[in-house]
Amino acid sequence: MAALAAPAQAEEADPGAIVALQFALGGDHKGVRASGAKGVCLKGTFAPAPDAAALSKAPQFAKTVPVTARFSMGGSNPKISDKTKATTRGFAMRLADPAGDMTFVVISAPVFGTRTPAQLLEFLQVRAPGPDGKPDAEKIKAFAARNPETGRQAAWLNARPVPASFAGTDYWAVHAYTLTNAKGERTTAKLKFVAADKASLSDEELKAKPDSFYADELKERLARGPARFDLVAILAEPNDPTTDVTATWPEDDRKQRSLGTLTIAAIEPDATCDAATFDPVVDMPDGIAGPADDPMFAIRSPAYAVSLSRRSN
Ligand code: HEM
């Protein structure tokens, strides 16, 4: 009876509960996103590679289209330091077309922190402050021991230097996508935005930086010329996991195809990015889709909607 009366909270994995905890852990600031609260809105273009249409019939892979984008720091704290190492940098973008926008919301690591929404809820719950205002270190340790895959993202980030620029690091879409061409042929691929001008900071250089330097760096960089990323499709081989965002594929051993070049030209007013949410699940044209059977993908749409509604009120 006791087991029936007290279902594990983590199993409920309601998007509203996850988003409420995301806000709580960042300090419950008003009018900001539940993740990516600190960021910069941008505009640019996407120009497809000559062979992209052979993989996907989406209009964005047949002609150059305008882009609205946003770089951000992970988490709901709008005052997070740009020097934070074990936090992903984020990159959200909408490649516009009248037939349907193509939306990617990607991060500066090849993996996400959790494999299922229930695991994400518990990951957040164990980090919630207790009566003394601090999270319980023992709880966090016990969760990590039971869920070792949830340590992969932080380990990956901690093993690398902090990017010197939002435009100086690669970004991964993390989920496995299906590309469908005009003949109906399907290709499963992970998508990666490869920075044309990679730049990172040594520990010494990092120390000398103020807590906020990415926005100014971007202004100076874009005054000199646009920032570019190559969008690359990393093609799946049989048995590559397609529903586990904590698992990597051996990228260097996989065939890769260039899908095009994303050019960031200028900074846009925040309002352009804040009016809606970048929804990577719903806002996709025919010819490309995220994994229908990955629960971490599906829950992003309702979670982003909850955050939008809260930050707009
Ligand atoms: C699995 C891979 C995921 C990646 C790569 C990712 C990345 C990002 C990025 C970059 C942003 C900032 C967007 C912007 O600048 O507007 C963001 C926002 C957000 N993320 Fe995720 N996320 C992922 C999964 C999730 C999941 C599973 C949840 C919750 C269940 C979630 C909840 C949110 C929320 C609530 C926002 C704020 C949306 C808004 O207010 O517009 N994310 N995410």
Side-chain angles (χ1 to χ4, degrees), residues 78-115:
K79 300 197 172 101
I80 186 173
S81 171
D82 295 348
K83 295 156 76 159
T84 312
K85 199 168 200 181
T87 291
T88 48
R89 278 69 188 152
F91 194 10
M93 69 199 79
R94 192 175 295 124
L95 283 51
D97 186 81
D101 294 344
M102 184 185 287
T103 305
F104 296 114
V105 183
V106 301
I107 48 173
S108 62
V111 288
F112 195 68
T114 56
R115 194 167 42 80

Side-chain angles (χ1 to χ4, degrees), residues 15 18-19 22-23 32-37 70-72 89-92 105-107 112 114 117 120 172-175 245 273 276-278 295-297 299-300 303-308 311:
I18 292 175
V19 174
Q22 285 181 308
F23 277 120
V32 300
R33 288 163 175 76
S35 185
R70 186 170 179 272
F71 286 126
S72 59
R89 278 69 188 152
F91 194 10
V105 183
V106 301
I107 48 173
F112 195 68
T114 56
L120 174 57
W172 285 259
V174 177
H175 303 280
V245 280
C273 285
T277 183
F278 293 89
M296 285 301 277
F297 187 65
I299 199 174
R300 292 179 71 179
Y304 290 30
V306 172
S307 171
L308 175 66
R311 66 182 161 84

Side-chain angles (χ1 to χ4, degrees), residues 129-140:
D132 62 351
K134 290 186 196 144
D136 181 339
E138 287 308 312
K139 264 197 204 166
I140 295 176

